[in-house]
């Protein structure tokens, strides 16, 4: 059976590989001129540094199966993301940990006394926090919220933190020890040759035919036994219900001699600084040596129709729209919607891979998409 896969990010590439290995004939359509979606990496010709073209991607997972799987397609080097923050004229350690708390309040607290102190700052009148702001005020109090979260979040999302779901803040831990690893996952690393090399290896299979710089139109779906679509769900339906809200990013690149900021990522939490963070890409590959350096300043803004969608907004009106698109998708025959854009969810790479492996398994188990393959293997509305 011929299968069309739209999009060569992790979702599309994992499904392509898994189904090709089971004997399916895969045609992969990618509208961009390169593989790997927003994980795409490329050497900057001027500095020789491996550039994370669509912003920093640090691979982390606690899922043994996902970690073993990704390493089949290329070697990883250990990398721990230790983010710093510029806030109110000082430099702090992130995520909020014992160092940050002691720095911000000028104290020498122990884990136990810090826990008590932060609990005393939390707003206990908030019993069931629903929004980003309520979650922050409840658990860390106003000082930490205003120093690190309020300004950054307003810049990043373009709306008041009181309009955002608490789930966004729940991505970040608050620690009462000196652990400054940004992630809590068991495994963390960066591919030695970059993400695009990983995807190239994944797609290097005789059963997979790749069409780069090729948009797929809905009308072509009938030529295939099944379609896996990892593009924006609203775009599949020609925005018939309206446009789902996304944030896009502009990266302002500049090159310098030596070491620009001494770290891979520095967040800028104050609202009067227009960018949210600066990434210095050579620090994502500390095993390499480069005399020059390239940095990217990230500026967030509302995504227009011709911009690259990054972060799904999922505000109240987006959720209502999404419900209508999901209903349309469920009525569609022979198409499965996958990944961040296909299901309109904020997904990390490891979750995307896990879900893609599962989707391929469901397809094989439902016997070749005999009509029983669902439009979604995860519920986008959950
Ligand atoms: N955030 C913040 N201040 C920071 C870092 C993060 O307020 O210094 C908030 C912000 O709303 C952000 C969210 O926490 O969108 C999740 O942060 P994360 O670093 O996971 O974002 P990503 O790396 O996915 O852009």
């Amino acid at each position: 059976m011929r299968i069309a896969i739209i999009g060569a990010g992790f979702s599309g590439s994992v499904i392509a590989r898994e189904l090709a290995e089971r004997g399916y004939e895969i045609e992969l359509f990618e509208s961009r001129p390169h593989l790997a979606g927003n994980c795409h990496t490329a050497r900057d010709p001027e500095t020789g540094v491996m550039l994370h073209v669509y912003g920093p991607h640090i691979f982390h997972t606690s899922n043994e199966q996902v970690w073993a799987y990704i390493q089949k397609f290329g070697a990883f080097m250990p990398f721990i993301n230790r983010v710093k923050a510029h806030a109110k004229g000082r430099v702090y350690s992130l995520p909020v940990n014992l160092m940050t708390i002691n720095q911000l309040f000028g104290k020498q607290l122990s884990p136990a006394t810090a826990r008590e102190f932060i609990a005393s700052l939390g707003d206990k009148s908030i019993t069931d926090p629903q929004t980003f702001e309520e979650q922050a005020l409840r658990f860390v109090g106003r000082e930490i919220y205003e120093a690190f979260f309020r300004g950054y979040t307003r810049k990043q999302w373009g709306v008041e933190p009181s309009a955002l779901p608490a789930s966004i803040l729940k991505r970040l831990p608050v620690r009462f020890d000196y652990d400054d690893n940004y992630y809590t996952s068991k495994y963390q690393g960066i591919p030695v040759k970059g993400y695009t090399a990983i995807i190239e290896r994944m797609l290097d299979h005789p059963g997979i035919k790749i069409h780069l710089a090729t948009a797929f139109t809905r009308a072509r779906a009938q030529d295939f036994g099944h379609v896996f679509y990892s593009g924006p769900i609203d775009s599949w339906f020609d925005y018939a219900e309206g446009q789902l809200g996304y944030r896009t990013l502009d990266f302002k690149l500049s090159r310098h001699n030596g070491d620009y900021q001494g770290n891979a990522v520095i967040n800028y939490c104050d609202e009067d600084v227009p960018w949210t963070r600066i990434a210095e890409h050579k620090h994502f590959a500390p095993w390499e040596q480069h005399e020059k350096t390239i940095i990217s300043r990230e500026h967030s803004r509302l995504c227009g129709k011709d911009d690259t969608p990054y972060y799904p907004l999922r505000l109240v009106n987006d959720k209502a729209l999404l419900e209508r698109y999901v209903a349309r998708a469920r009525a569609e025959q022979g198409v499965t919607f996958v990944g961040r854009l296909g299901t309109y969810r904020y997904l990390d790479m490891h979750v995307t891979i896990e879900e893609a492996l599962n989707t391929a398994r469901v397809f094989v188990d439902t016997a070749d998409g005999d009509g029983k393959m669902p439009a979604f293997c995860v519920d986008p509305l959950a």
Side-chain angles (χ1 to χ4, degrees), residues 59-63 66 185 348-355:
F59 195 86
H60 60 99
T61 183
S62 294
N63 182 318
V66 168
S185 306
D348 287 335
M349 290 182 281
H350 63 288
V351 182
T352 306
I353 293 169
E354 188 180 338
E355 290 187 359

Side-chain angles (χ1 to χ4, degrees), residues 340-351:
R340 180 177 56 97
L341 303 173
T343 63
Y344 192 58
R345 288 174 308 140
Y346 190 172
L347 291 185
D348 287 335
M349 290 182 281
H350 63 288
V351 182

Side-chain angles (χ1 to χ4, degrees), residues 94 132 148-149 152-153 156-157 168 171-172 182 267 269 277 311 346:
L94 278 186
F132 186 107
F148 303 114
F149 301 131
Y152 187 102
T153 298
Q156 169 72 6
W157 295 94
I168 294 178
R171 289 173 57 84
L172 305 180
Y182 203 69
N267 286 4
C269 300
R277 57 187 177 189
Y311 297 91
Y346 190 172

Side-chain angles (χ1 to χ4, degrees), residues 165-201:
S167 58
I168 294 178
L169 184 60
K170 287 183 191 159
R171 289 173 57 84
L172 305 180
V174 173
R175 302 211 182 97
F176 297 100
D177 57 21
Y178 288 102
D179 180 5
D180 63 350
N181 181 348
Y182 203 69
Y183 303 114
T184 42
S185 306
K186 207 157 154 187
Y187 307 106
Q188 191 172 166
I190 303 254
V192 180
K193 295 181 181 166
Y195 290 95
T196 301
I198 296 270
I199 298 285
E200 275 166 8
R201 276 272 291 277

Side-chain angles (χ1 to χ4, degrees), residues 43-249:
R43 285 230 179 258
D44 172 47
E46 254 180 74
T47 58
V49 170
M50 187 63 88
L51 188 67
H52 295 217
V53 178
Y54 301 91
H57 282 76
I58 297 122
F59 195 86
H60 60 99
T61 183
S62 294
N63 182 318
E64 311 274 345
Q65 192 206 356
V66 168
W67 185 231
Y69 184 80
I70 190 77
Q71 289 178 99
K72 290 201 298 188
F73 305 104
F76 277 66
M77 286 292 272
F79 178 85
I80 305 285
N81 197 23
R82 300 189 196 281
V83 177
K84 302 287 174 267
H86 279 208
K88 299 187 190 301
R90 288 171 184 254
V91 181
Y92 293 95
S93 171
L94 278 186
V96 173
N97 64 73
L98 193 48
M99 180 65 97
T100 328
I101 296 165
N102 281 327
Q103 285 170 323
L104 184 66
F105 296 99
K107 290 183 182 286
Q108 295 174 315
L109 299 171
S110 68
T113 54
R115 200 178 281 274
E116 272 170 35
F117 175 64
I118 295 298
S120 78
L121 299 179
D123 181 345
K124 280 161 230 66
S125 69
I126 303 166
T127 49
D128 181 20
Q130 295 294 320
T131 70
F132 186 107
E133 184 171 76
E134 286 174 353
Q135 176 80 8
L137 293 176
R138 171 71 187 86
F139 291 104
V140 295
R142 187 161 292 280
E143 289 90 338
I144 290 180
Y145 169 60
E146 289 187 349
F148 303 114
F149 301 131
R150 189 168 175 273
Y152 187 102
T153 298
R154 285 173 56 133
K155 290 191 288 187
Q156 169 72 6
W157 295 94
V159 290
E160 289 301 324
S162 55
L164 291 168
S167 58
I168 294 178
L169 184 60
K170 287 183 191 159
R171 289 173 57 84
L172 305 180
V174 173
R175 302 211 182 97
F176 297 100
D177 57 21
Y178 288 102
D179 180 5
D180 63 350
N181 181 348
Y182 203 69
Y183 303 114
T184 42
S185 306
K186 207 157 154 187
Y187 307 106
Q188 191 172 166
I190 303 254
V192 180
K193 295 181 181 166
Y195 290 95
T196 301
I198 296 270
I199 298 285
E200 275 166 8
R201 276 272 291 277
M202 206 178 268
L203 295 174
D204 182 12
H205 188 286
I208 303 174
K209 200 168 163 198
I210 302 169
H211 306 273
L212 284 181
T214 309
F216 185 87
T217 53
R218 248 176 104 193
R220 293 183 70 178
Q222 65 201 31
D223 302 338
F224 295 88
H226 198 80
V227 176
F228 291 92
Y229 177 74
S230 73
I233 184 168
D234 52 356
S235 158
W236 180 262
F237 296 104
D238 296 324
Y239 306 99
E241 305 280 355
Q243 227 182 309
L244 289 167
Y246 279 96
R247 299 296 284 177
T248 190
L249 298 175

